[in-house]
Amino acid sequence: MKNNWLQFYRICSAVPVEEDFDDYGSGEDHRISIGDELEASDKSGVVHAGVVVGIIRDVNGCPVCYKVWDEEHEDFDYIQASDSIVCEPCGSSQWALERIGYKKKYEAGEHGFYFNDRIKDVIFW
């Protein structure tokens, strides 16, 4: 019997797509990327803010949620893509992540990761 729940490798892969990093755009057409600062209010009026450290996508590859590091509360938060979002583009994912304590590490080959010693979080690319 065939497993009907299997998805395409690229979509369900643990490695984020390359487009998640270093988008230097701005304005209404800016794609939110890792390192950008977000501020959003949800439907109940609660304000969420932080630096993007992950982008959670649906099976079609569209962002549905952003994992952010909230420096004020020193914890992770999640912002739904459907919330009213104000984005401050970072310009460089590496600079933004190093600013909050991540260090770039390399693995064999073309992929590597950022690691934060203090909070023990890993961001793969």
Side-chain angles (χ1 to χ4, degrees):
M1 176 178 241
K2 183 179 175 185
N3 183 348
N4 292 327
W5 292 101
L6 291 179
Q7 299 175 350
F8 294 110
Y9 177 76
R10 183 167 189 255
I11 293 172
C12 64
S13 168
V15 178
V17 292
E18 192 174 297
E19 297 89 44
D20 287 352
F21 292 87
D22 290 333
D23 178 16
Y24 291 91
S26 61
E28 289 182 8
D29 297 331
H30 172 70
R31 282 186 354 262
I32 295 172
S33 60
I34 295 197
D36 289 352
E37 292 187 35
L38 297 186
E39 186 173 307
S41 10
D42 61 20
K43 293 174 184 162
S44 62
V46 176
V47 175
H48 303 271
V51 176
V52 177
V53 295
I55 300 174
I56 301 164
R57 299 176 181 279
D58 65 12
V59 294
N60 298 314
C62 298
V64 293
C65 189
Y66 301 100
K67 178 182 175 184
V68 297
W69 174 251
D70 182 348
E71 292 180 271
E72 183 180 333
H73 297 101
E74 292 196 356
D75 201 2
F76 293 107
D77 198 0
Y78 294 85
I79 297 175
Q80 291 184 46
S82 61
D83 288 347
S84 178
I85 296 175
V86 175
C87 176
E88 179 68 36
C90 67
S92 165
S93 296
Q94 183 173 345
W95 173 83
L97 292 174
E98 287 176 351
R99 182 176 62 88
I100 60 173
Y102 287 86
K103 291 186 173 50
K104 193 173 191 176
K105 311 276 184 175
Y106 290 98
E107 292 181 347
E110 60 193 49
H111 296 288
F113 59 95
Y114 289 94
F115 182 72
N116 190 316
D117 287 322
R118 187 170 61 87
I119 58 176
K120 307 297 185 222
D121 189 46
V122 178
I123 303 170
F124 292 97
W125 84 82

